[in-house]
Every structure is written in structure tokens, then in C-alpha cells.
Amino acid sequence: MKRILVTGGAGFIGSHLCTELLKEGNKVVCLDNLFTGSLENICHLMPDKNFEFVRHDITAPYKIEVDEIYNLACPASPPHYQYNAIKTIKTAVIGMINMLELAKACGAKILQASTSEVYGDPKIHPQPESYWGNVNPVGIRSCYDEGKRCAETLMADYHRQENVNTKTVRIFNTYGPNMAINDGRVISNFIIQALKNEDITIYGNGTQTRSFCYVEDLTEGLVKMMNSSLTGPVNLGNPSERTILNLAELIIELTLSKSKIVYKPLPADDPMQRQPDITLAKTHLGWEPKTDIINGLKQTIEYFRECI
Ligand code: NAD
Ligand code: UDP
């Protein structure tokens, strides 16, 4: 039985990961400051004697004996990470140092939840791990993008200099149940708007693209990466790319909504296109997503129907 620390474990992806790791027979310590996560996401795990919740902020050091650390703690939606940009970059960078020091002290493997945002507004399409990205260092997304880039640097340096067993994954847009109602990302916004028959707010003209991965596929990839001999970075995402306008139309169709589409200004530095090249994950982890967008959206719509 492994002892595993999941930071950000009460969040959207973290709560699915905790569930999966417990199912596999591990002891899981979920550490979270509940900034964007919630106890509702993990309340079903509380009775499990192998599960423990600790309210803690990773910008402060934390001591525990564990075999593995999944570092997911960080607000991930643009409205949430821009709410307190300085706190976001502290979480990404100081939090990363604290977790790497912990990994070093107890000899644990550590996996960092990095992001496709390290590619910025990419000039290479689809994005392979070898691409260094096109990121504005002083824009409104920089606290997150540059924070995550610096965290990747720290992972690489603790591996080279301190021999820490590090694993970096670059997660592309992921969606599914347990996203917060006020999350602000596109899939949760569109589904909630559609279910309430309110206007669907497209930022810009809707021709920008994203590639959406269902959360169960993603968590399987995280566990495979932790159990592999790779250090990464490795892209994890669903290569099926679509425009934001197409996504809005699909959600209207699946919810039988009467919502109309309205257009709002595109936020600064909003990437125009994004699609993962997952050759590395396919070849070396034997991983690829299985859930198509229709099935994934149907399950997510059912979740939000219960929430609102
Ligand atoms: P989320 O906001 O639902 O989860 C983040 C969790 O971290 C929350 O529970 C929050 O309370 C916690 N947290 C934030 N700051 C903290 C701090 N200082 N100390 C302790 N806990 C803190 O977001 P998510 O979508 O589940 O994202 C999880 C991780 O995956 C993040 O690191 C994010 O950057 C990364 N990621 C997610 C996506 C995606 O599409 N969902 C894409 C790329 C990367
Ligand atoms: N978006 C939108 N309407 C919304 C929320 C987001 O049109 O209500 C757009 C956003 O401008 C971006 C895309 O959808 O082009 C994905 O946004 P999200 O915040 O989900 O993720 P990210 O931009 O970080 O990939």
C-alpha cells in the first residue's frame, strides 16, 4: 500500500484523482486550501479510513512521509487565477519549491500538473513537447503561464541537481463532473447557461480552437505517468480539436436549450488554437483518451443539472 499526497485534491481534477488512487488500494492524503476546491467534491471519500483531508496552503512548507506526491494545487480557470495574480504565482513557484523540498526530504516521486498554457499562443500546431512556446511574460495570463513554466524549470533542476524523481505532465483543457459552478471556464459556463436557457457567451468570434479531454481519461494518464520511468514533460490531452462556436452549438443541441449565442470581447492574450501532439504519451505510456466529446459532455451536463 502506497502513501500518496495529492495537493489540490479537493479541486476538480484532484477529487477524481483521489477517488481513483483510493480505488487502487492506496492511502491518500488530500491537501487543499479550498480556494477553488470544495469539501463537496471529496465528501464521498471522507468515511474511507485510507483517506485524510488536510486544510493547508502549499505556499507554506508541509512535512509528511509519503511515497508519491501529485502537485495539483493551483487555481486553473482564468477568472480564478487572475483574481489574485500574485497569490497564483506564489502558489505555482513557492508551492512547487515546498513540494520539491518535501519530495527530496522523504525520497518521494513527484508529479507536477503543468499545462498547455506553457505553449502560450502557439505558433506550432499541434503542440509537441519539444516546442518552447510563445508566452507574454507581462500579460494578464502570465501569473499562471509563467508560474507554471517556472515550476517546470524547478522540476528539471531538482531532478538534475538533487536527483529527485520528477514527472512533469502538460495537461490540455480538461472537463467533467466536479467543476465548480463559478469556475468560469468555457465548458462549465456554456452548460450552465444552456441549462438555464440564458445567453451563451462566446468571447471573440468563436473561431479560436481548443481540444477537450474528459477527466477520467486524464486521471488515468496521470497515474500512468507516475508509474512510468519518464520525467517528461509529457502532453496529456484529447487531440480532437474544435472551435468554441462549434462547442456552443453542440452544448445547445445536447441540452435541447433555447439559449441564443451572444458575442463578448475576447480577453487579452487568449490563445487562438490549441491541440496536443500526444505521440509521446501514446508510445511511452500506452495512453490515449477513450471518451468522445458527446459522451463526456452528456455526463458533465447530468452533473450540472443536479448542481443548479
Ligand atoms: P481547480 O481550481 O478545480 O483545482 C485546484 C485546487 O487547488 C483547488 O482545490 C484549490 O482549492 C487548490 N489550491 C489552489 N491554491 C492552493 C494553495 N495555495 N494551496 C493549497 N491548495 C490550493 O482546478 P483543476 O482544473 O482541478 O486543476 C488542477 C491542476 O491541474 C492545476 O494545477 C491546474 O493548473 C492543472 N491543469 C488543469 C487543466 C484543466 O483543464 N482542468 C489544464 C491544465 C492544467
Ligand atoms: N470562452 C468563451 N466563453 C466563456 C468562457 C470562455 O468563449 O464563457 C473562451 C475563452 O475565451 C477561450 C476558450 O473559450 O478562448 C477556452 O477558455 P477556458 O477559460 O475554458 O480555457 P483556456 O483559455 O485557459 O484554454
Side-chain angles (χ1 to χ4, degrees):
M1 190 183 250
K2 286 186 285 193
R3 253 173 88 83
I4 303 178
L5 179 68
V6 179
T7 78
F12 157 52
I13 298 176
S15 57
H16 288 274
L17 181 63
C18 289
T19 306
E20 183 55 34
L21 293 171
L22 284 166
K23 260 193 221 150
E24 289 181 1
N26 302 293
K27 277 189 182 292
V28 174
V29 178
C30 163
L31 188 151
D32 203 297
N33 69 352
L34 299 180
F35 172 48
T36 54
S38 72
L39 292 178
E40 283 94 88
N41 281 345
I42 49 167
C43 62
H44 63 293
L45 305 176
M46 295 295 193
D48 192 326
K49 63 178 181 1
N50 291 323
F51 181 74
E52 190 184 336
F53 172 71
V54 179
R55 190 164 184 163
H56 179 83
D57 192 309
I58 62 160
T59 58
Y62 185 71
K63 295 258 182 300
I64 190 172
E65 283 289 324
V66 284
D67 305 301
E68 295 177 353
I69 303 166
Y70 287 85
N71 186 37
L72 272 63
C74 188
S77 90
H80 285 155
Y81 70 63
Q82 287 162 17
Y83 170 77
N84 184 343
I86 295 168
K87 175 71 189 193
T88 299
I89 201 158
K90 281 184 179 169
T91 296
V93 177
I94 299 172
M96 183 82 263
I97 293 172
N98 286 333
M99 290 306 117
L100 280 161
E101 284 295 328
L102 176 62
K104 183 179 139 188
C106 64
K109 286 196 268 188
I110 179 165
L111 180 145
Q112 164 64 359
S114 189
T115 167
S116 54
E117 294 288 327
V118 300
Y119 300 121
D121 192 6
K123 290 188 190 298
I124 289 186
H125 195 72
Q127 294 78 54
E129 291 84 349
S130 54
Y131 178 47
W132 291 352
N134 175 37
V135 177
N136 175 0
V138 292
I140 56 171
R141 294 174 82 100
S142 312
C143 60
Y144 183 73
D145 301 9
E146 296 290 23
K148 290 284 188 174
R149 286 171 69 94
C150 184
E152 285 201 14
T153 307
L154 285 161
M155 288 284 280
D157 284 337
Y158 269 78
H159 179 65
R160 272 190 291 262
Q161 199 173 315
E162 304 289 352
N163 214 18
V164 174
N165 192 348
T166 59
K167 278 128 199 339
T168 299
V169 293
R170 293 180 178 155
I171 302 170
F172 284 63
N173 298 65
T174 299
Y175 70 99
N178 294 6
M179 293 186 91
I181 295 259
N182 67 348
D183 183 88
R185 279 176 280 188
V186 68
I187 290 205
S188 46
N189 273 9
F190 284 3
I191 292 179
I192 293 163
Q193 289 163 343
L195 289 174
K196 292 182 167 174
N197 292 311
E198 291 172 353
D199 289 346
I200 304 251
T201 53
I202 289 189
Y203 305 155
N205 61 13
T207 55
Q208 72 270 38
T209 69
R210 294 293 187 273
S211 307
F212 295 102
C213 185
Y214 190 61
V215 65
E216 274 178 13
D217 288 333
L218 195 268
T219 48
E220 187 198 321
L222 296 178
V223 174
K224 282 198 165 176
M225 181 67 182
M226 183 64 100
N227 294 336
S228 77
S229 57
L230 301 183
T231 52
V234 173
N235 288 339
L236 292 180
N238 191 321
S240 165
E241 184 187 12
R242 66 191 60 247
T243 65
I244 294 303
L245 175 60
N246 173 271
L247 176 73
E249 290 167 345
L250 193 55
I251 289 175
I252 290 175
E253 194 184 312
L254 292 174
T255 51
L256 305 172
S257 174
K258 296 186 182 64
S259 294
K260 289 194 303 295
I261 290 174
V262 297
Y263 293 88
K264 303 263 181 187
L266 188 68
D269 297 334
D270 199 288
M272 267 316 289
Q273 53 180 4
R274 188 140 350 107
Q275 184 188 31
D277 177 337
I278 59 163
T279 311
L280 205 55
K282 270 188 179 166
T283 318
H284 294 278
L285 299 179
W287 176 86
E288 65 182 310
K290 300 183 195 80
T291 314
D292 66 36
I293 188 91
I294 308 281
N295 281 326
L297 283 178
K298 280 184 178 163
Q299 295 180 64
T300 312
I301 289 165
E302 282 325 301
Y303 162 77
F304 279 113
R305 227 188 267 284
E306 299 287 312
C307 293
I308 58 172

